[in-house]
Amino acid sequence: MKRLPETVTSKVTDLFAALHYAADDLKIVGQEAMLSGDFSQVTDSMEACRKLQTLEADIKAAVTNFHTQYQARAVEKTGFHKKDKRRTRTQGGRLRVTVAGKVIQQHTLAETFVETLKVFGLERVAKLDKKVTSIALIPKTQIIEW
């Protein structure tokens, strides 16, 4: 994890948007107060707007500080990575499958996998109820015809 989680990033973005809307509202109130001649309200709205800008700057600094500290720790941890000796293919390699005397080899691993599933028959594979990262490989509810 080199950055904030998606939900935190989304909420921080929402917070910045809310701060901008509040600052815009305070500026409008200040403008209206200036037109009506109520200078104490102008001063109050300007001070509140400055506080919002300071709060926004502090939040940005905290997020930036988090990123710099976390990246510094991440750089320290990246070091020697022991290679898995059981790995049989190189990254970006091709896969060749032989089923009932038929050789299946496509440009990518994914394409080869899909063609192999077609040869086995999608109905037969669906009956196996295999899951990949807790998601059904072929859902039982609807079989897609190729």
Side-chain angles (χ1 to χ4, degrees):
M1 183 174 130
K2 295 182 181 178
R3 60 189 174 111
L4 289 171
E6 185 70 28
T7 54
V8 174
T9 303
S10 172
K11 294 301 178 184
V12 169
T13 303
D14 292 345
L15 177 62
F16 285 143
L19 288 173
H20 284 282
Y21 289 135
D24 289 344
D25 290 344
L26 286 170
K27 289 175 186 175
I28 290 171
V29 168
Q31 295 276 335
E32 291 172 352
M34 186 174 285
L35 289 174
S36 68
D38 187 3
F39 295 109
S40 63
Q41 190 176 5
V42 171
T43 306
D44 292 342
S45 66
M46 286 176 55
E47 184 61 32
C49 191
R50 274 193 215 106
K51 286 181 182 179
L52 284 177
Q53 289 173 345
T54 303
L55 177 63
E56 182 181 2
D58 290 344
I59 293 171
K60 283 182 181 178
V63 170
T64 304
N65 187 26
F66 172 81
H67 284 298
T68 56
Q69 284 183 351
Y70 191 80
Q71 286 176 353
R73 277 191 248 142
V75 169
E76 291 173 7
K77 289 182 181 179
T78 58
F80 177 74
H81 178 69
K82 187 175 180 181
K83 185 177 179 182
D84 186 7
K85 293 181 181 181
R86 292 174 290 198
R87 186 174 175 101
T88 58
R89 65 175 178 84
T90 60
Q91 189 173 9
R94 290 192 177 189
L95 178 66
R96 183 182 319 179
V97 178
T98 305
V99 177
K102 180 180 179 183
V103 176
I104 304 168
Q105 182 177 4
Q106 298 294 326
H107 293 290
T108 64
L109 295 171
E111 291 173 359
T112 303
F113 182 69
V114 169
E115 290 299 318
T116 305
L117 290 178
K118 288 180 187 179
V119 169
F120 284 137
L122 296 178
E123 290 81 16
R124 289 177 62 196
V125 175
K127 289 179 184 176
L128 295 174
D129 195 31
K130 293 294 181 181
K131 296 186 183 338
V132 178
T133 62
S134 74
I135 298 172
L137 181 63
I138 298 178
K140 292 180 179 179
T141 56
Q142 180 181 6
I143 301 294
I144 301 170
E145 294 294 326
W146 298 71

